[in-house]
């Protein structure tokens, strides 16, 4: 996800480097660097039985949680890309104390916590996804600070902004599904050849929301769950295909991280920060570019990622990894 150069805690996979010689060359180059009855949540099944890679969902509790997080944090992404929903305004034009209290509570209690590395927040996101449109949250699986604020504004959200958020999420899903149906299996198979791993037996769940962290998307593991913005321009159109596989990689990168660490230790060098993330950026972008053609500009190039201190990574990957 853009802006956060991090390694997620990943599930176990059987990944091996295809060429240890190429890896050694690359290492040398890089070293040192109460609601009324709500409508049912919209849930999308796998894109097809022949390609069970991703399962797309647009769920209200997840969207509401992400929206309150966005309003509680000062971030350029939210305020420039997504208009505020006006949920704080009551029908008579007065300000809703519950909504303002939820935003203030998130700002005080939750805004400084990381949804990727904070295990209670990761479990909460999954529990909210599985809750669907039930007006009652499950007990025991959701962070108490989320339970403290979120139910009090669920009714207002469902009565107003939710239908618009769901519509926009559904449009993103409708555009992404054909891309996955056409190219997904081929890309997943090549991932398997290059990383000596297999796609999970069950499709990876993707929660589509208006806001998904300050970088537009993030992934947690055990099980793998991707939360992805339908509004970020970097995830729109053909780029959705690349970033779906990019995010999936964060759930399958445990052995990649281990192999990198051990390779640098063996060579007596210190692993450069975020090299694993650079490999993920490059691999997902290149595999999609080879399918969509030279007119497609991978995310890392389109957003200028490689010019933000990653020039050595890009050069080494292009020379030794590609």
């Amino acid at each position: 996800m853009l802006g956060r150069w991090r390694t997620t805690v990943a599930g176990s996979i059987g990944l091996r480097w295809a060429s240890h010689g190429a890896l050694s060359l690359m290492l040398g180059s890089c070293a040192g660097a109460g609601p009324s009855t709500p409508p049912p949540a919209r849930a999308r099944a796998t894109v097809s039985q022949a390609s069970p890679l991703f399962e797309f969902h647009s769920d209200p509790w997840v969207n509401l949680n992400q929206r309150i997080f966005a309003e509680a944090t000062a971030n350029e992404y939210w305020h420039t890309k997504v208009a505020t929903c006006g949920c704080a305004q009551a029908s008579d034009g007065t300000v809703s104390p519950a909504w303002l209290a939820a935003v203030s509570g998130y700002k005080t209690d939750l805004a400084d916590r990381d949804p990727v590395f904070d295990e209670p927040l990761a479990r909460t996101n999954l529990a909210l996804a599985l809750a669907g449109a039930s007006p009652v949250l499950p007990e025991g699986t959701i962070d108490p600070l989320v339970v403290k604020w979120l139910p009090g504004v669920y009714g207002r959200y469902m009565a107003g902004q939710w239908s618009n958020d769901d519509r926009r999420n559904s449009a993103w899903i409708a555009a992404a599904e054909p891309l996955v149906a056409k190219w997904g299996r081929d890309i997943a198979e090549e991932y398997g050849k290059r990383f000596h791993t297999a796609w999970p037996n069950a499709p990876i769940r993707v929660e589509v929301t208006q806001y998904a962290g300050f970088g537009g998307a993030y992934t947690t593991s055990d099980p793998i769950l991707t939360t992805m913005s339908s509004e970020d321009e970097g995830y729109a159109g053909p780029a959705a295909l690349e970033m779906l596989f990019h995010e999936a990689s964060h759930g399958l990168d445990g052995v990649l991280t281990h192999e990198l660490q051990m390779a640098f230790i063996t060579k007596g060098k210190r692993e450069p920060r975020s090299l694993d993330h650079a490999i993920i950026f490059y691999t997902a972008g290149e595999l999609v570019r080879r399918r969509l053609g030279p007119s497609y500009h991978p995310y890392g190039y389109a957003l200028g990622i490689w010019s933000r201190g990653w020039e050595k990574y890009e050069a080494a990957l292009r020379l030794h990894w590609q």
Side-chain angles (χ1 to χ4, degrees), residues 70-81:
E71 293 196 14
T73 57
N75 62 85
E76 181 181 358
Y77 164 78
W78 177 259
H79 295 294
T80 58
K81 305 278 185 171

Side-chain angles (χ1 to χ4, degrees), residues 130-207:
L130 298 178
S134 169
V136 180
L137 289 176
E139 296 182 1
T141 57
I142 298 177
D143 191 291
L145 293 175
V146 172
V147 175
K148 179 180 179 181
W149 301 112
L150 212 58
V153 293
Y154 181 77
R156 174 177 294 276
Y157 178 65
M158 292 300 290
Q161 183 65 23
W162 162 242
S163 60
N164 184 57
D165 286 354
D166 184 45
R167 176 181 57 81
R168 297 171 75 89
N169 294 339
S170 298
W172 187 94
I173 292 170
E177 283 181 327
L179 293 169
V180 177
K182 183 174 183 178
W183 301 111
R185 176 173 286 278
D186 187 39
I187 295 173
E189 287 179 354
E190 186 159 356
Y191 259 106
K193 292 176 182 178
R194 291 176 176 274
F195 290 154
H196 292 198
T197 187
W199 200 261
N201 291 329
I204 292 175
R205 184 172 183 131
V206 180
E207 286 290 331

Side-chain angles (χ1 to χ4, degrees), residues 68 86-106 148-149 152-153 156:
I68 299 293
C87 298
Q89 294 293 122
S91 57
D92 60 0
T94 60
V95 175
S96 166
W99 191 273
L100 293 181
V103 173
S104 178
Y106 268 48
K148 179 180 179 181
W149 301 112
V153 293
R156 174 177 294 276

Side-chain angles (χ1 to χ4, degrees), residues 2-227:
L2 177 61
R4 182 168 301 179
W5 315 128
R6 56 93 178 101
T7 304
T8 58
V9 179
S12 177
I13 58 172
L15 178 150
R16 292 184 180 86
W17 292 96
S19 170
H20 288 280
L23 175 60
S24 297
L25 288 171
M26 186 174 70
L27 298 183
S29 300
C30 294
S36 58
T37 302
R42 186 183 304 274
R44 301 291 177 133
T46 53
V47 295
S48 72
Q49 292 300 313
S51 181
L53 302 176
F54 300 99
E55 183 175 297
F56 298 100
H57 292 260
S58 172
D59 288 312
W61 283 109
V62 177
N63 275 262
L64 174 59
N65 182 51
Q66 295 290 338
R67 184 174 282 278
I68 299 293
F69 258 117
E71 293 196 14
T73 57
N75 62 85
E76 181 181 358
Y77 164 78
W78 177 259
H79 295 294
T80 58
K81 305 278 185 171
V82 183
T84 57
C85 69
C87 298
Q89 294 293 122
S91 57
D92 60 0
T94 60
V95 175
S96 166
W99 191 273
L100 293 181
V103 173
S104 178
Y106 268 48
K107 184 178 296 186
T108 300
D109 298 335
L110 297 164
D112 293 332
R113 293 170 59 181
D114 190 313
V116 176
F117 294 114
D118 189 307
E119 291 187 9
L121 286 186
R123 291 196 301 268
T124 290
N125 196 44
L126 177 60
L128 293 175
L130 298 178
S134 169
V136 180
L137 289 176
E139 296 182 1
T141 57
I142 298 177
D143 191 291
L145 293 175
V146 172
V147 175
K148 179 180 179 181
W149 301 112
L150 212 58
V153 293
Y154 181 77
R156 174 177 294 276
Y157 178 65
M158 292 300 290
Q161 183 65 23
W162 162 242
S163 60
N164 184 57
D165 286 354
D166 184 45
R167 176 181 57 81
R168 297 171 75 89
N169 294 339
S170 298
W172 187 94
I173 292 170
E177 283 181 327
L179 293 169
V180 177
K182 183 174 183 178
W183 301 111
R185 176 173 286 278
D186 187 39
I187 295 173
E189 287 179 354
E190 186 159 356
Y191 259 106
K193 292 176 182 178
R194 291 176 176 274
F195 290 154
H196 292 198
T197 187
W199 200 261
N201 291 329
I204 292 175
R205 184 172 183 131
V206 180
E207 286 290 331
V208 183
T209 67
Q210 297 292 288
Y211 174 78
F214 73 84
Y218 66 92
T219 296
T220 54
S221 301
D222 302 324
I224 303 172
L225 174 64
T226 291
T227 305

